[in-house]
Amino acid sequence: MYSIVEYKGKRTGYRCGYCNSHQGKGSNGMWAHSMTVQDYQDLIDRGWRRSGKYVYKPIMNQTCCPQYTIRCRSLHFQPSKSHKKVLKKMLRYLTKGETSKLNSEGEPMDSHTEDTGCNFLLKSEPDTSQSELEPLNIYTEKVESEKEEIKGEIIVTTDSGHTESCNEKVNASLSKPLNPAKVGHAPPKPGKGADLSKPPCRKAKDIRKEQKLQKHLQNQMGNHALQEKAQITQKSEPKTNQPKSIEDFIFVTLPPEAAHQLEVRLVRSSPPSSQFKATFQESYQVYKRYQMVIHKDPPDKPTASQFTRFLCDSPLEAENSPNGPDCGYGSFHQQYWVDGKIVAVGVIDILPKCVSSVYLYYDPDYSSLSLGVYSALREIAFTRQIHEKASDLSYYYMGFYIHSCPKMRYKGQYRPSDLLCPETYVWVPIEQCLPSLEHSKYCRFNLDAKAVDEGNVKELGRVRILHKRTVMPYSVYKRRRKGPSDEESVQQYATLVGQECSERMLLFKS
């Protein structure tokens, strides 16, 4: 099985769908008559992307909006606070029928066709990831040393053993004329002493110290009880503080009385399966409404043939492997059915190392459910599911990350994620790339100044050519060829696809 491609060369000076520049866009492209999943995997790892059967690569240092290939490390993905809100919103809708009053209007999306890219649609929400559970702070009151003197206050002990302040009585007596005979400490009358039936008088300072000591002991006992209770709770519920995964939200069992039922079906789109053919019209009608309402297309633009060429046709050959996913490799539509009708469709490619998102369209009536974000989270969970059978498949590719276009930065919220260096084709964590992108639209992410493209073409003569139904190396084709030399075009093609792909794929020459 061979990939057969026809190189179309460089195209510059056309309209950009991201910044609306009329002549700022530039890319190289080729038409793929057929392509193996391994060749396409290697191509997207060199910055290529498909739209239907057209495969293109932006000219990164010339185009107005550089498009960096982005991938999410799905096995380590943890949903952010905003992601959890979307998952909970869907769960409330399914169980209780509740919908948000505000529609998710203005979701950013890669809606541009063929030469400009048609990547994934997601909702842009601020990532306010925070711990939802605050740590338990046990406060212990400290007994401070008794430094201050108690002035102007007399504490007495009553017959019942209670203490009371005499300040109020003293203050009341100050309003009356002073009796000189009662000022000061009068000596006891002869023959009478302390009443032994009553407790002896004590200093206010001593009583205050005793009260604080008792309060301190009570607090210590109470805090000790709280600590014991916390320890018992942790032992009995060890997973309470564990962060929930996307699977905990997505694959929860709905109650029998749930308001709605959601079913996600995976159908092969190329070659079209019987299930795909049976649902084609319904799926197309959802796409048509989506383009008209969300993208303001005129009714005659989203035709069935345009839909087929854009989102159904694929150059990828269907493949199966003993160590691969049960569904096989290739191009698929992931259909979201609610109560027996299609409400959204995610177009994806399943490749040897990743699930690659192509596009998402949905019924505008369900905009409030943030289906762009929800479907992306479902596809990350789907990638993790496939990984259990196909151990090499562990990444979720989200298309292009465009930092120069603010509404397209939402893909950076799905972390941990990496961006592809446009010069050396190595993956770099996005956190290391963002500071450079703030200063320049085009950046080389590889910090090693001596690093080069290891996959660059080294032997042009080994490039495979398909000419008159015959496969031959370029060195042979070059000797047989009549007319002007095409070496510059072949050199450009081989440099862009890399040595390995240029030796495996067949470059068609008429």
Side-chain angles (χ1 to χ4, degrees):
M1 187 185 300
Y2 291 105
S3 298
I4 302 175
V5 299
E6 193 172 353
Y7 184 58
K8 297 296 184 181
K10 183 184 295 186
R11 183 186 174 199
T12 58
Y14 59 98
R15 182 182 174 276
C16 173
Y18 299 111
C19 67
N20 290 323
S21 169
H22 291 288
Q23 296 182 331
K25 202 77 170 175
S27 66
N28 291 283
M30 57 188 176
W31 186 262
H33 296 276
S34 67
M35 184 167 287
T36 67
V37 290
Q38 184 59 61
D39 285 342
Y40 185 52
Q41 176 72 68
D42 291 346
L43 285 175
I44 62 175
D45 285 339
R46 291 182 65 84
W48 291 82
R49 191 79 180 156
R50 82 170 183 88
S51 174
K53 289 188 174 184
Y54 184 76
V55 189
Y56 63 99
K57 184 181 189 300
I59 304 174
M60 298 292 282
N61 58 356
Q62 295 181 22
T63 190
C64 54
C65 295
Q67 298 160 256
Y68 299 92
T69 303
I70 183 172
R71 72 178 186 184
C72 172
R73 283 172 260 152
S74 64
L75 302 185
H76 304 284
F77 173 79
Q78 282 293 336
S80 67
K81 190 173 181 180
S82 61
H83 295 150
K84 291 178 182 178
K85 285 182 179 178
V86 172
L87 293 170
K88 291 176 181 177
K89 180 165 60 174
M90 175 62 80
L91 200 56
R92 287 195 302 270
Y93 169 75
L94 294 176
T95 55
K96 301 179 182 179
E98 297 178 1
T99 56
S100 173
K101 293 181 180 179
L102 297 176
N103 287 345
S104 304
E105 296 178 356
E107 292 186 351
M109 58 206 68
D110 294 321
S111 58
H112 317 295
T113 58
E114 297 177 7
D115 53 10
T116 54
C118 53
N119 310 319
F120 207 78
L121 172 149
L122 298 173
K123 181 181 177 185
S124 176
E125 294 185 21
D127 188 355
T128 54
S129 301
Q130 295 177 351
S131 173
E132 294 181 334
L133 296 176
E134 295 294 335
L136 176 63
N137 291 322
I138 300 178
Y139 173 74
T140 305
E141 181 181 336
K142 297 180 180 178
V143 180
E144 298 179 354
S145 58
E146 202 70 52
K147 293 182 180 179
E148 69 278 4
E149 293 291 337
I150 302 174
K151 298 179 181 179
E153 183 175 11
I154 303 173
I155 305 294
V156 299
T157 305
T158 63
D159 292 329
S160 60
H162 297 293
T163 58
E164 65 180 21
S165 171
C166 293
N167 276 14
E168 294 180 0
K169 295 179 181 180
V170 172
N171 292 336
S173 66
L174 290 178
S175 61
K176 299 179 181 180
L178 294 177
N179 186 346
K182 293 186 179 180
V183 177
H185 298 280
K189 294 181 180 181
K192 291 184 179 182
D195 188 348
L196 298 179
S197 65
K198 296 180 179 179
C201 291
R202 295 184 295 163
K203 290 184 178 180
K205 180 179 178 180
D206 295 335
I207 295 173
R208 185 68 171 265
K209 282 184 178 181
E210 182 179 331
Q211 288 175 335
K212 288 207 169 186
L213 180 61
Q214 289 177 349
K215 187 175 181 180
H216 173 61
L217 292 174
Q218 289 174 354
N219 283 336
Q220 280 188 327
M221 293 177 65
N223 289 334
H224 182 67
L226 283 175
Q227 288 175 338
E228 287 186 344
K229 184 177 180 181
Q231 290 174 355
I232 293 172
T233 303
Q234 289 174 358
K235 290 180 181 178
S236 60
E237 299 179 9
K239 296 182 180 180
T240 301
N241 294 330
Q242 294 293 325
K244 283 189 174 183
S245 66
I246 45 179
E247 288 84 358
D248 293 331
F249 292 99
I250 291 174
F251 301 119
V252 63
T253 303
L254 297 178
E257 66 277 9
H260 302 285
Q261 294 295 324
L262 170 66
E263 180 186 2
V264 180
R265 301 179 190 174
L266 184 71
V267 297
R268 185 178 287 278
S269 56
S270 179
S273 65
S274 57
Q275 298 96 325
F276 178 82
K277 293 177 181 177
T279 57
F280 177 87
Q281 274 301 324
E282 184 174 357
S283 182
Y284 161 62
Q285 290 301 325
V286 174
Y287 169 77
K288 185 175 182 178
R289 287 203 64 221
Y290 172 79
Q291 292 296 124
M292 291 169 57
V293 176
I294 304 299
H295 292 289
K296 313 303 179 186
D297 283 357
D300 59 338
K301 184 178 180 180
T303 62
S305 60
Q306 185 263 350
F307 168 68
T308 301
R309 185 177 67 253
F310 179 36
L311 295 176
C312 304
D313 289 346
S314 169
L316 300 184
E317 298 290 340
E319 295 182 29
N320 290 283
S321 170
N323 299 321
D326 294 332
C327 59
Y329 298 107
S331 298
F332 298 84
H333 280 198
Q334 207 164 34
Q335 302 173 339
Y336 295 77
W337 293 73
V338 172
D339 300 336
K341 71 173 184 176
I342 298 175
V343 300
V345 177
V347 182
I348 60 173
D349 293 329
I350 301 178
L351 305 175
K353 293 183 180 179
C354 72
V355 169
S356 175
S357 168
V358 179
Y359 201 70
L360 184 280
Y361 57 93
Y362 58 86
D363 187 333
D365 291 343
Y366 292 82
S367 295
S368 62
L369 295 178
S370 303
L371 290 171
V373 180
Y374 181 77
S375 62
L377 297 172
R378 289 285 307 218
E379 288 174 5
I380 291 174
F382 178 60
T383 305
R384 285 150 64 135
Q385 276 186 316
I386 294 179
H387 171 77
E388 295 177 4
K389 179 71 186 296
S391 58
D392 290 339
L393 200 161
S394 58
Y395 296 102
Y396 175 60
Y397 283 46
M398 296 176 281
F400 289 130
Y401 174 81
I402 309 169
H403 193 78
S404 58
C405 181
K407 72 174 184 179
M408 296 304 297
R409 296 180 184 179
Y410 61 92
K411 294 178 184 179
Q413 298 174 4
Y414 293 78
R415 298 191 182 183
S417 58
D418 309 303
L419 297 183
L420 186 68
C421 176
E423 295 181 9
T424 61
Y425 304 112
V426 297
W427 294 99
V428 181
I430 192 171
E431 294 84 356
Q432 298 179 26
C433 305
L434 294 179
S436 300
L437 289 172
E438 286 295 326
H439 293 91
S440 174
K441 290 193 296 185
Y442 173 75
C443 297
R444 170 194 167 108
F445 300 136
N446 193 332
L447 299 179
D448 183 358
K450 296 181 180 179
V452 295
D453 172 18
E454 295 293 340
N456 193 19
V457 63
K458 300 174 181 64
E459 297 182 59
L460 190 63
R462 296 173 64 90
V463 174
R464 281 199 172 188
I465 304 295
L466 175 62
H467 179 60
K468 294 183 178 179
R469 295 181 172 271
T470 305
V471 178
M472 64 189 78
Y474 179 67
S475 58
V476 174
Y477 170 78
K478 183 178 179 181
R479 291 196 301 267
R480 296 181 180 180
R481 175 180 170 82
K482 297 178 181 180
S485 172
D486 62 350
E487 185 170 333
E488 183 180 349
S489 173
V490 175
Q491 177 72 52
Q492 186 182 74
Y493 156 80
T495 301
L496 293 170
V497 303
Q499 183 74 46
E500 289 189 8
C501 278
S502 72
E503 292 184 27
R504 286 199 311 257
M505 300 194 304
L506 305 182
L507 177 60
F508 176 76
K509 290 288 185 178
S510 59

